[in-house]
Amino acid sequence: MIKYVDFVSVPVADQKRALEFYTTKLGLTVFTDQPFDDKQRWIELKLPNAQTKLVLFTADEHKDRIGQATNFSLVVDNLERTYAQLREAGVEFLGPPTKQEWGSFVIMVDSEGNKLLLKADGK
């Protein structure tokens, strides 16, 4: 049976710039960074206390996904505090945190223009 999600891919145009953003601004750590082909590296990043990793890699047929909304959300323990810390670090947001019936969230923009949803842990 399926046990867990190993990684999700974040489409990037510039792996070096994206690596800097995700490690310096978001605090992820490098799990794997190795050559893949003559154009790209295979970069896997670990999230604190999580089994799933983010991969900064874009297959040629997925280059049109760069700068779009991602198909996953990142859960944070305190949305307001995380929002304030990331804004202080220079991270762009599409607006302030929003509270809905299903929970609180904010949309962050990464170095590549990708939109990532940050969601409060719990409701």
Side-chain angles (χ1 to χ4, degrees):
M1 292 302 298
I2 297 170
K3 292 173 60 175
Y4 61 89
V5 174
D6 186 32
F7 62 81
V8 293
S9 185
V10 179
V12 299
D14 184 321
Q15 287 183 304
K16 184 178 179 180
R17 179 178 59 213
L19 180 60
E20 174 74 16
F21 176 86
Y22 280 90
T23 57
T24 303
K25 297 198 186 278
L26 301 188
L28 279 60
T29 57
V30 176
F31 180 75
T32 301
D33 185 351
Q34 60 189 15
F36 183 80
D37 60 22
D38 60 335
K39 296 183 280 183
Q40 293 192 78
R41 300 169 2 224
W42 183 259
I43 303 172
E44 290 182 58
L45 303 176
K46 288 209 43 100
L47 291 81
N49 305 313
Q51 200 164 4
T52 304
K53 297 175 285 297
L54 294 184
V55 173
L56 305 178
F57 179 85
T58 308
D60 287 338
E61 63 269 19
H62 295 158
K63 289 197 184 293
D64 62 335
R65 295 181 184 177
I66 299 169
Q68 303 299 312
T70 57
N71 292 320
F72 60 88
S73 61
L74 300 171
V75 177
V76 299
D77 58 355
N78 183 312
L79 185 63
E80 293 291 336
R81 184 177 66 224
T82 301
Y83 171 74
Q85 290 171 333
L86 292 177
R87 276 188 51 142
E88 177 85 13
V91 174
E92 177 188 349
F93 289 88
L94 295 185
T98 302
K99 189 168 198 157
Q100 296 290 331
E101 187 175 310
W102 54 267
S104 298
F105 72 97
V106 67
I107 298 175
M108 172 183 76
V109 180
D110 74 3
S111 62
E112 309 307 291
N114 297 309
K115 288 122 191 114
L116 293 91
L117 186 127
L118 300 181
K119 180 182 175 301
D121 194 8
K123 225 178 177 185

